Amino acid sequence: MYRELIEKLNPKPTFNLKWYKDGDLYSDGDIEDILIKLIAENEPEKYADVILENMSWPTYYHLTHLRKNILNWYPFEKESSVLEIGCGMGAITNMLCEKCHDVTAVELSKRRATATLLRCRERENLEIIVGNLNDIQFDKKFDYITLIGVLEYQGTYTNTENPYLDFLMEIKKFLKPGGKLLIAIENKYGLKYWCGAREDHTGFPFEGMNQYSITNKGVRTFSKKELEDLVKDSGFAHSFFYYPLPDYKLPTVLYSQKQLPKNENMHNLQPYYIPDRKTLVADEMGVYKDVIENGVFEFFANSFLVECSDDGHLGRVTFSCFSTERKEKYRIATLFTDEGKVEKVPLNETEGAAHIWQGVKNGLALQKAGKNVLPMQLKNGRLVSEFVQGQSLEEVVLEAVERKNKFEVCRILDMVYQEILSSSQHIAAEENIFYTMEIDKEVNADKYGPILKVGFIDMILRNAFYIDGNIQWFDQEWVLECVPAGFVFYRMLVALYQSFPYVDKVLPVGEIANKYGLLAAWNEYNMMENLFADMVIDRAHVAESNVYRGGDRTACVNNIQKLLGISP
């Protein structure tokens, strides 16, 4: 069926059908034929537009770049070999081929394996084997094995009395001494399930909590302790747990057992629900604050990524977050390492290098202006700095808000405003970028206040430490020339109040905006922010992601009323 596509594109990977038994036991149906055609007709950099034009959950799930975030930060050795078990339609296979010397991808479904073949058609370091892993014999061992969304199905595909344990014991034989197994799987007690979301594999709410006794579909996930014990019993001496959010399928941030979230912000986490929000009974985001403060986040994390090995040196990276909504050349990962370093890594090494270098220049320029800036170095294409134990300025402000200490909040905001004012030379009002870009046509010095020759528009509370009463800046990715100091301050306020709406109840944003003379130009600042976002943000990706993101309070209330026998 796909012979013409394969002949036309002449893919370079090896396609091994030796172990295939002429039957695809796992499939999303005919949508996969459509996806294969889309993959054949488009390069990966066009996938965001392709998804938007062919919007459906399978299209989004299989083609979105978010899928790669589960491992694109992982410190694979460059000369290593990888066995990817269950490659699906190649969502992370290309990335593995970029990072490692050679990749062997195993897939049950010939149709899905064909999608991977066409998606990775330029990769000469890839062999795709079609068949059940339990039947395949390998002629070598591997440095890494990935098991992403596969372990939970072994009740169906491994025919033994203890399929999950036996499967892990079997694949351990394929690892070199000191090799690492990477398992990604949902948590059966994930918070989204407590909130009423459908179980990802069966489609029934509360299925995992009922120990998979409702549908008996031959699939199951595990609690943290169950999974930890399973890994240990299968022969791995050591394991290290990561917690991808909102889950391992579409992660935007990963915490770990060494670096747990401190508050409900979690880098503006946006949960999603498939196939819909109709079964929800609680607001997931509203519960995280209590979960974190009560020290039970690890039990309620929606997913796990587990690093397993007989080698004790695991968890080199302890935290990772991704600038997922940006255009590809601006996407970066921020990593914390167990060596006490923070690394900024371009997710596209070719296109992203220039943006990383811009961050170095911005930091040096701000330092030259007399500001205290966290020292950073460029090493092997990564921006590296020391991890600072001090509180962020955002955390200090939030603590003051919790105490309803308006005076302290205003004192810190005054400090920030003075830092912004003194960060660059002031220029004539006529040079204001708002006039040159025709956002505003009438020159009015009073409306915009001081104009900065260079505006460091990342001078937000989250990008500063507060140490011994002094501010130290970091992560200054972006600058705009000839901008009002008020616009930089406006961006700081928006970042704070959007992430933590409850701040407005203690200190209304309108009160702050009025104090610093921002109200007259507020609409123009909004316009400029939108223009800047258009330059940076991948609008197609945002639009398609928003289809599935967010909760539904009305559904929650209606479902609770139904449980009480009350008609909504």
Side-chain angles (χ1 to χ4, degrees):
M1 181 177 178
Y2 311 113
R3 185 176 301 170
E4 289 184 7
L5 289 175
I6 293 173
E7 289 178 354
K8 177 182 177 182
L9 295 172
N10 191 24
K12 297 176 182 177
T14 301
F15 199 58
N16 186 340
L17 294 172
K18 177 180 177 181
W19 310 97
Y20 182 55
K21 295 184 177 179
D22 295 322
D24 286 2
L25 303 178
Y26 186 86
S27 171
D28 278 340
D30 292 340
I31 183 65
E32 293 185 356
D33 292 330
I34 296 173
L35 287 170
I36 288 172
K37 186 173 184 294
L38 293 174
I39 287 169
E41 293 175 349
N42 295 276
E43 297 297 330
E45 58 267 22
K46 298 293 185 182
Y47 284 177
D49 294 330
V50 169
I51 295 167
L52 198 58
E53 293 166 5
N54 302 270
M55 195 65 207
S56 70
W57 170 246
T59 306
Y60 177 66
Y61 173 70
H62 287 292
L63 298 186
T64 178
H65 70 269
L66 294 180
R67 294 285 305 282
K68 295 186 291 186
N69 288 350
I70 190 62
L71 287 177
N72 61 6
W73 54 274
Y74 187 81
F76 291 102
E77 295 291 337
K78 193 67 178 175
E79 295 303 312
S80 62
S81 59
V82 180
L83 173 60
E84 182 188 10
I85 300 175
C87 65
M89 303 191 86
I92 69 169
T93 310
N94 240 332
M95 178 271 297
L96 293 173
C97 291
E98 288 176 1
K99 291 182 173 290
C100 305
H101 180 270
D102 62 88
V103 177
T104 302
V106 174
E107 174 53 44
L108 270 170
S109 160
K110 183 180 178 182
R111 185 154 56 172
R112 289 192 169 198
T114 300
T116 300
L117 176 68
L118 297 177
R119 192 168 185 169
C120 305
R121 49 187 174 264
E122 296 302 320
R123 299 295 178 186
E124 296 181 349
N125 62 335
L126 171 63
E127 179 182 12
I128 301 167
I129 303 176
V130 187
N132 188 326
L133 182 84
N134 295 311
D135 300 329
I136 298 170
Q137 297 177 11
F138 297 98
D139 57 5
K140 65 176 182 179
K141 294 192 174 185
F142 301 88
D143 298 292
Y144 303 97
I145 295 177
T146 67
L147 209 59
I148 312 300
V150 173
L151 178 60
E152 56 265 43
Y153 292 102
Q154 295 316 305
T156 299
Y157 299 114
T158 299
N159 188 20
T160 67
E161 289 187 7
N162 198 339
Y164 305 98
L165 177 63
D166 293 341
F167 181 71
L168 290 181
M169 292 177 67
E170 184 63 23
I171 64 176
K172 188 177 188 295
K173 299 174 183 177
F174 305 148
L175 278 173
K176 294 178 182 178
K180 294 179 174 61
L181 170 66
L182 300 165
I183 304 171
I185 188 171
E186 295 86 352
N187 175 12
K188 76 175 181 182
Y189 293 124
L191 184 58
K192 70 176 182 180
Y193 293 148
W194 290 98
C195 292
R198 301 172 193 253
E199 207 279 341
D200 283 17
H201 308 91
T202 69
F204 276 69
F206 310 110
E207 175 84 43
M209 297 169 206
N210 285 298
Q211 311 306 315
Y212 295 93
S213 61
I214 299 173
T215 62
N216 294 314
K217 287 192 174 182
V219 61
R220 65 160 299 181
T221 57
F222 307 90
S223 68
K224 183 193 174 185
K225 186 177 187 308
E226 287 172 336
L227 186 56
E228 197 170 26
D229 290 345
L230 183 62
V231 168
K232 184 177 180 180
D233 291 345
S234 65
F236 289 96
H238 304 280
S239 63
F240 187 88
F241 273 71
Y242 292 95
Y243 307 102
L245 289 168
D247 63 13
Y248 83 84
K249 294 184 178 73
L250 306 176
T252 57
V253 59
L254 286 93
Y255 291 91
S256 78
Q257 62 187 60
K258 288 184 180 178
Q259 186 78 32
L260 297 173
K262 297 179 181 179
N263 58 52
E264 74 279 16
N265 176 40
M266 294 180 292
H267 293 260
N268 298 312
L269 174 68
Q270 294 180 302
Y272 70 97
Y273 304 99
I274 300 300
D276 52 49
R277 308 167 180 87
K278 294 179 181 178
T279 61
L280 296 179
V281 294
D283 172 24
E284 182 180 344
M285 286 307 300
V287 183
Y288 274 115
K289 186 174 189 292
D290 287 339
V291 165
I292 292 166
E293 288 182 353
N294 284 277
V296 291
F297 172 80
E298 292 176 281
F299 179 81
F300 287 104
N302 283 330
S303 288
F304 306 120
L305 172 67
V306 193
E307 188 182 20
C308 317
S309 181
D310 291 331
D311 182 349
H313 189 199
L314 302 178
R316 177 187 172 272
V317 174
T318 60
F319 169 84
S320 183
C321 67
F322 311 94
S323 52
T324 57
E325 296 189 341
R326 298 179 184 177
K327 294 176 181 176
E328 187 170 15
K329 63 182 177 180
Y330 299 127
R331 290 178 198 150
I332 62 171
T334 300
L335 315 179
F336 294 179
T337 75
D338 64 351
E339 300 168 341
K341 305 292 185 183
V342 179
E343 300 179 357
K344 297 284 184 178
V345 183
L347 294 182
N348 183 313
E349 294 182 7
T350 303
E351 293 192 28
H355 184 62
I356 291 291
W357 174 237
Q358 185 62 50
V360 176
K361 293 193 290 185
N362 293 346
L364 292 173
L366 191 58
Q367 190 174 37
K368 188 175 180 181
K371 302 295 105 182
N372 182 7
V373 180
L374 182 69
M376 293 187 173
Q377 293 181 309
L378 195 63
K379 294 182 178 180
N380 300 319
R382 298 177 171 222
L383 195 57
V384 182
S385 64
E386 296 293 328
F387 177 80
V388 176
Q389 292 288 350
Q391 283 185 303
S392 73
L393 206 52
E394 183 177 81
E395 290 169 336
V396 174
V397 166
L398 292 177
E399 286 183 359
V401 169
E402 291 283 348
R403 300 192 304 269
K404 294 182 171 54
N405 189 340
K406 293 174 62 173
F407 176 82
E408 177 68 3
V409 175
C410 290
R411 185 187 71 81
I412 293 173
L413 294 183
D414 283 341
M415 289 182 65
V416 173
Y417 189 62
Q418 291 304 316
E419 285 280 292
I420 292 170
L421 283 176
S422 58
S423 63
S424 177
Q425 175 186 345
H426 294 192
I427 57 177
E430 294 79 8
E431 296 182 59
N432 186 350
I433 193 174
F434 284 74
Y435 305 135
T436 57
M437 294 188 67
E438 298 186 347
I439 292 174
D440 202 345
K441 295 184 180 180
E442 183 179 345
V443 176
N444 185 340
D446 293 333
K447 181 176 181 179
Y448 291 102
I451 310 301
L452 304 174
K453 184 175 182 180
V454 178
F456 296 90
I457 62 174
D458 271 343
M459 295 179 78
I460 62 176
L461 302 181
R462 195 171 300 155
N463 290 347
F465 294 113
Y466 192 61
I467 303 173
D468 297 329
N470 298 309
I471 295 175
Q472 183 180 50
W473 298 100
F474 61 93
D475 274 7
Q476 298 301 304
E477 287 188 68
W478 307 98
V479 294
L480 287 176
E481 295 181 356
C482 308
V483 297
F487 176 66
V488 181
F489 195 74
Y490 154 89
R491 294 192 87 245
M492 180 275 298
L493 288 179
V494 170
L496 174 65
Y497 282 83
Q498 283 187 348
S499 297
F500 305 96
Y502 62 83
V503 175
D504 195 62
K505 295 179 181 179
V506 176
L507 191 60
V509 66
E511 185 178 322
I512 295 297
N514 182 59
K515 176 182 177 181
Y516 291 96
L518 306 181
L519 291 178
W522 194 267
N523 289 337
E524 287 78 9
Y525 290 159
N526 275 329
M527 292 171 63
M528 174 59 79
E529 181 63 16
N530 288 333
L531 288 173
F532 175 72
D534 285 338
M535 180 187 80
V536 175
I537 299 299
D538 185 339
R539 294 292 191 187
H541 167 70
V542 172
E544 59 214 24
S545 297
N546 284 341
V547 172
Y548 303 105
R549 284 175 174 170
D552 187 336
R553 179 168 177 78
T554 300
C556 292
V557 172
N558 289 345
N559 289 331
I560 292 170
Q561 289 176 334
K562 290 176 184 177
L563 290 171
L564 294 172
I566 302 171
S567 298

